[in-house]
Each structure stands twice: as structure tokens, then as C-alpha cells.
Amino acid sequence: MIPEIFSHRSIRSYLPEPVPEEVLRRILEAGVRASTTGNMQLYSLVVTTSPEIKERLAPCHFNQPMVTQAPVVITFCADIRRFSLWCRQRGAEPQYDNFVWFVNSMIDTILASQNIVLQAENEGLGICYLGTTTYNAQEIAEVLGLPEGVIPVTTLTMGYPDKMPPLTDRLPLEGVVHRERYHDYTPEQIERIWAEREASEETAGLLEVNQLSNLARIFTERRYTGKDNLLFSRKYFDALKKQGFFNQ
Amino acid sequence: MIPEIFSHRSIRSYLPEPVPEEVLRRILEAGVRASTTGNMQLYSLVVTTSPEIKERLAPCHFNQPMVTQAPVVITFCADIRRFSLWCRQRGAEPQYDNFVWFVNSMIDTILASQNIVLQAENEGLGICYLGTTTYNAQEIAEVLGLPEGVIPVTTLTMGYPDKMPPLTDRLPLEGVVHRERYHDYTPEQIERIWAEREASEETAGLLEVNQLSNLARIFTERRYTGKDNLLFSRKYFDALKKQGFFNQ
């Protein structure tokens, strides 16, 4: 068993120590060893340690304190630009500025990110993925100077953990695995899949704080509301077109 | 260092031995330990071992022999359905059928897949990602019976390796890492980044076989042509709409 996989938790609070350059290099090397479409490596990893640039990134991530506190922030970008520049320089005509290549390059990017997470944890570091990256991708692109053909997909904050939170629960494996084909969920299965989480002390605490009758409503009425979802969908799709991933 | 990360290669040929159920279970458990947006686990893993269903999947993957040869085929699907069913069952109104949640669920899905890859390799198995998943997503959805709110993102073939190919080369790390902000590529940098690969024996062999003047043209004129890219972009975007990820 790979211990890093089974002991992974998101770390949102870091010690001030910087990450030594040789450690950072091994971590980044881990990223590029991941599988990649046609060995094209359709990503760029923007490693930010400068306090000034982290300050400028922070509002893009709704000022979550870990963005400025973490010694290292890595913005993972889908990148069809580098490959396309190479093609043109060789008299070959690249046409990767379309949707399926956004998806392919995003897959490449996320595979690299997860290798980086596990190797970072192997080096004693902690990380947190920032889902806010897709909400404010265009703003991040401006801060980091991302040209056409490059779009942010996710971000990691990284540093030595200040404290180690408990492992987060997951749905029962049977709730997410289907054998042979997809078997649609019956209402009884849905009940069973969420039963343990809904009965937990953590959920009871959340309901109390949010003054809501159930956990699902915390998601739909507080965390990820319809209005926000539509706003961020439009923003990310606009960013996709603006950064040149939807010429079709 | 995590050895599985640094020794990863795609395995396209497998021994006939099946994967024991307890091994498969550990591997799948590794998948669900990955980070996930708001702990929502927006994915379903469809594990196919039945020869008949693998036969039906094979044409969706251009009949690459490993689809029927591998004892296990896992189709990784972005899934907003299970979460939405739960919300509705609780009187909460989910609105996750839009683009940013396609992206979020895709990130969840790919993170799980890479944990599964590394744990599988830790168990002595070999894997290959099938990029063909995004080309024929709708056809795969039909074979696997994927309902609205579920779309295939990637596929792994998995089994005990028949032979171990050499490690694949990668671009120099400096070619994909940017410090602080994105630094656009000069023509000289593009030359340097691809120099080693272009000078390799492998490239020489490919040019000979393809009767083309350079490696970039093999990509644009043989492997991933403009015509195919546009076709598959339209197909995947249509599948996205049909499966209910673009109601905005």
C-alpha cells in the first residue's frame, strides 16, 4: 500500500519554513512522470513563492488565508500553447485550440497535480487543492500573465503542516463503484449511501451552525448555490473561449 | 520518493491472470481517498471484467487490443447524478448541471484515477490510460448505460504486465515549469525544449516509418489531425449537453 494515498488530508495551515529547492524539484519531477496524452505534456506549472504575487492571487481565491500563508502556491494550467508554438516552428499546422483538447490537456494537468501531491506528502509536506481556480480563472490568468492557449485548472497550496486534521470520511465504496455497467440508484440506495455521514456529529454541528434541516441544503443553499454555479459556469466558459480553447 | 511515480510506464499487454477481488478493492479504496470538491465525490467508477461488455467497449476505443485483453477495464465517469438525486430526496434543489460542475467533477474523477493507477502499480499491476474515451464518450455511455448526469472522462485498462517497456522520455523540467508567473516561450527556448527528443533514435524511427520531415508533422498530419480534432470536439461537447452538463 502507498501510505501517502491512505493518509491524505487537506492541510490549510502551514509552518513558515520554506520548501528547499531540491525538495521542490523532486516534487515537480514527480508531476511530469504522470501519463500524458501522446507524451505531449499539455500543461504548465506556475510555481509562485513571491509574497507580492501571492497577495495578488489571494482575492482570486476569495482571500483564503492559506494562499498567502503557504510558502509555495502552484497554479496548474492546461497548456496547448507550447506544443502549438513548436508545431508552427516546424512548419506543422496545429489545431489543438478546441474543446476535446481542452479536456485532454486538463486530464494531463490533473494527473501531474496528483503525482505532485503524493510526492509532496512523501517529503513531509501538506497540500490543499483550491477549487476557486475555476471560479476566477480569468483573473488568475491576468495575475500570472497567461497568454492564449493557457488556462488555469487547479491550484495547490503547499508547505510544512502546522497541524494534522483528522482523516475525512468518504461514501461507502459500493456507493461510487459500479460492476460491469452503471446501475442507477434507487431511493433506498441513496438513503444508505449517505446514512453514516448524515448521522455524524460533524453533520449535526453543521446543521446547528447553518440553521438548516439537512446536509443537502447546506450544499444547495450555502456552499454551492444555483446562482453562483451559473455565474461561475459562464465565467469559466468565457475564459475558455478567451484563452483560445473553443475555436470550433 | 514514491517508487511507483518514478517507475511508471503505460502497459499495453497483459498476462491472462485475473485481478484478485481483495487487490481490486484496495485499489478502488485508494481512488476514493483522493481530494474531492467539497467532499462530494462527483464520480462513478465502472469496473468491467465481463468479456462480452469489453467486446462492446472495444470499438469505442478503436479496437485497441488491450481493451479485450486486460482483465479489468475501469471507465471513470464524472457524475453529478448521485449527488443531485440525494439533494432532491432531501428537498434541496441541486443545480450542478452546468459547465463549472463538469470541470469540478472531472477534476474529482481524474484525481481518483491517478490514485488508482499508483496503488495498482504498487500491487504489481500495470495500466494504460485510454484517451479514446473523450472521442467516443456517447458510444461508451450507451454501452455502459450511463444516465443523465454521468459522462465518461477517461478509461484505464489494468492487469499483470506481460512485458515492461522502457521508461518514456519527458521534456526538460524547465520546459514546463514557470517561476512566479508565466514566461512566454522564445523560439530559442522552443528549440531547446524539444532538442533531445527530436535527436533521439525513437524519433528517427518514427520519421522513417511515417515518411515525414519532422516529429511535429507526425502529430499534426498523422496522430491528431485538425479534421479529427474538430470532429471529436463537437462530439464530446454534444455528449456533454446530452448528458446534462451544460444547462446554463
Side-chain angles (χ1 to χ4, degrees):
Chain A
M1 304 234 302
I2 297 179
E4 291 79 2
I5 287 179
F6 292 93
S7 64
H8 165 74
R9 52 264 279 166
S10 296
I11 300 296
R12 295 183 168 82
S13 179
Y14 305 96
L15 300 174
E17 276 115 275
V19 180
E21 192 59 31
E22 68 274 16
V23 172
L24 185 57
R25 193 177 172 92
R26 271 197 302 274
I27 291 168
L28 297 169
E29 288 278 8
V32 303
R33 293 316 312 168
S35 291
T36 147
T37 311
N39 203 10
M40 291 159 80
Q41 294 183 255
L42 299 171
Y43 48 73
S44 272
L45 316 181
V46 185
V47 178
T48 302
T49 55
S50 141
E52 185 236 323
I53 301 179
K54 287 193 284 177
E55 285 288 350
R56 291 181 57 203
L57 284 173
C60 307
H61 298 292
F62 300 144
N63 292 307
Q64 293 175 89
M66 51 196 162
V67 177
T68 47
Q69 204 211 16
V72 176
V73 175
I74 308 180
T75 307
F76 289 81
C77 304
D79 188 331
I80 53 165
R81 181 180 187 81
R82 181 179 56 242
F83 196 84
S84 301
L85 288 173
W86 173 62
C87 288
R88 285 203 196 91
Q89 210 156 307
R90 293 290 177 266
E93 190 43 56
Q95 269 188 274
Y96 303 113
D97 54 349
N98 38 56
F99 190 61
V100 81
W101 285 94
F102 164 66
V103 175
N104 291 342
S105 57
M106 196 173 144
I107 293 173
D108 277 19
T109 308
I110 300 295
L111 294 179
S113 80
Q114 187 61 0
N115 268 15
I116 281 176
V117 162
L118 294 169
Q119 183 57 33
E121 291 173 340
N122 179 264
E123 305 274 356
L125 291 155
I127 66 91
C128 188
Y129 276 101
L130 304 185
T132 38
T133 312
T134 52
Y135 302 164
N136 296 309
Q138 197 64 57
E139 292 85 342
I140 294 169
E142 277 150 35
V143 173
L144 299 180
L146 306 184
E148 204 181 339
V150 187
I151 189 168
V153 169
T154 194
T155 302
L156 286 175
T157 53
M158 186 182 286
Y160 293 99
D162 184 22
K163 46 183 170 257
M164 199 55 88
L167 216 57
T168 313
D169 69 316
R170 289 289 184 267
L171 301 176
L173 194 58
E174 289 64 28
V176 302
V177 170
H178 302 249
R179 288 307 178 105
E180 304 307 341
R181 302 174 79 245
Y182 194 96
H183 300 283
D184 205 5
Y185 297 93
T186 64
E188 294 69 35
Q189 286 171 323
I190 292 288
E191 288 298 325
R192 212 155 47 230
I193 290 168
W194 267 275
E196 200 177 318
R197 184 172 301 172
E198 290 183 311
S200 73
E201 264 184 52
E202 196 194 340
T203 296
L206 286 169
L207 297 182
E208 177 68 28
V209 168
N210 285 278
Q211 289 289 300
L212 284 172
S213 58
N214 66 59
L215 184 60
R217 289 183 60 197
I218 294 181
F219 282 91
T220 60
E221 296 174 37
R222 296 282 193 277
R223 291 190 186 164
Y224 310 109
T225 66
K227 194 175 150 234
D228 280 351
N229 299 337
L230 290 178
L231 171 67
F232 296 134
S233 287
R234 286 190 208 110
K235 279 186 72 179
Y236 198 66
F237 196 62
D238 284 347
L240 200 73
K241 288 188 275 190
K242 181 147 188 268
Q243 296 303 109
F245 283 86
F246 206 78
N247 300 320
Q248 56 201 78
Chain B
M1 303 229 305
I2 298 180
E4 291 79 3
I5 287 179
F6 291 93
S7 65
H8 165 73
R9 53 265 278 165
S10 295
I11 300 295
R12 295 183 169 80
S13 179
Y14 306 96
L15 299 175
E17 276 115 275
V19 180
E21 193 58 31
E22 68 274 16
V23 173
L24 186 57
R25 194 177 170 92
R26 272 198 302 273
I27 291 168
L28 296 169
E29 289 278 8
V32 304
R33 293 315 313 167
S35 291
T36 147
T37 310
N39 203 11
M40 291 159 81
Q41 295 183 256
L42 299 171
Y43 47 74
S44 273
L45 316 182
V46 185
V47 179
T48 303
T49 55
S50 141
E52 186 237 322
I53 302 178
K54 288 193 282 177
E55 285 289 350
R56 292 181 57 203
L57 284 173
C60 307
H61 297 292
F62 301 144
N63 293 306
Q64 294 175 88
M66 53 198 163
V67 177
T68 47
Q69 204 210 15
V72 177
V73 174
I74 308 179
T75 307
F76 289 81
C77 305
D79 189 329
I80 53 165
R81 181 179 188 81
R82 180 179 57 243
F83 196 84
S84 301
L85 288 173
W86 172 63
C87 288
R88 284 201 198 93
Q89 210 156 307
R90 292 289 177 267
E93 189 44 55
Q95 269 188 274
Y96 303 113
D97 55 348
N98 39 55
F99 190 61
V100 81
W101 285 94
F102 164 66
V103 175
N104 290 343
S105 57
M106 194 171 147
I107 292 173
D108 276 18
T109 309
I110 300 295
L111 293 179
S113 80
Q114 186 62 359
N115 268 16
I116 281 177
V117 162
L118 294 169
Q119 183 58 32
E121 290 173 340
N122 179 264
E123 306 272 358
L125 291 156
I127 65 91
C128 187
Y129 276 101
L130 303 185
T132 38
T133 312
T134 52
Y135 302 164
N136 296 309
Q138 196 63 59
E139 292 85 342
I140 294 168
E142 277 150 36
V143 172
L144 298 180
L146 306 184
E148 203 180 339
V150 187
I151 189 168
V153 169
T154 194
T155 301
L156 285 176
T157 53
M158 186 182 286
Y160 294 99
D162 184 21
K163 44 183 173 260
M164 200 52 91
L167 216 58
T168 313
D169 71 315
R170 289 291 186 265
L171 301 176
L173 194 58
E174 289 65 28
V176 302
V177 170
H178 302 250
R179 288 306 178 106
E180 306 305 343
R181 302 173 81 245
Y182 194 96
H183 300 282
D184 206 4
Y185 297 94
T186 64
E188 294 69 34
Q189 286 171 322
I190 291 288
E191 289 297 325
R192 211 156 46 230
I193 290 169
W194 267 275
E196 200 177 318
R197 182 172 302 171
E198 290 183 311
S200 73
E201 263 183 54
E202 195 194 340
T203 295
L206 286 168
L207 297 182
E208 176 68 27
V209 168
N210 285 277
Q211 289 288 301
L212 284 171
S213 58
N214 65 59
L215 185 60
R217 289 182 60 198
I218 294 181
F219 282 91
T220 59
E221 295 174 37
R222 295 282 193 277
R223 291 189 186 166
Y224 309 110
T225 66
K227 195 174 150 234
D228 281 351
N229 299 337
L230 290 178
L231 171 67
F232 295 135
S233 287
R234 285 189 209 110
K235 280 186 72 180
Y236 198 68
F237 195 62
D238 285 346
L240 201 73
K241 288 187 276 189
K242 182 147 186 269
Q243 295 303 109
F245 284 87
F246 206 78
N247 298 321
Q248 57 200 78

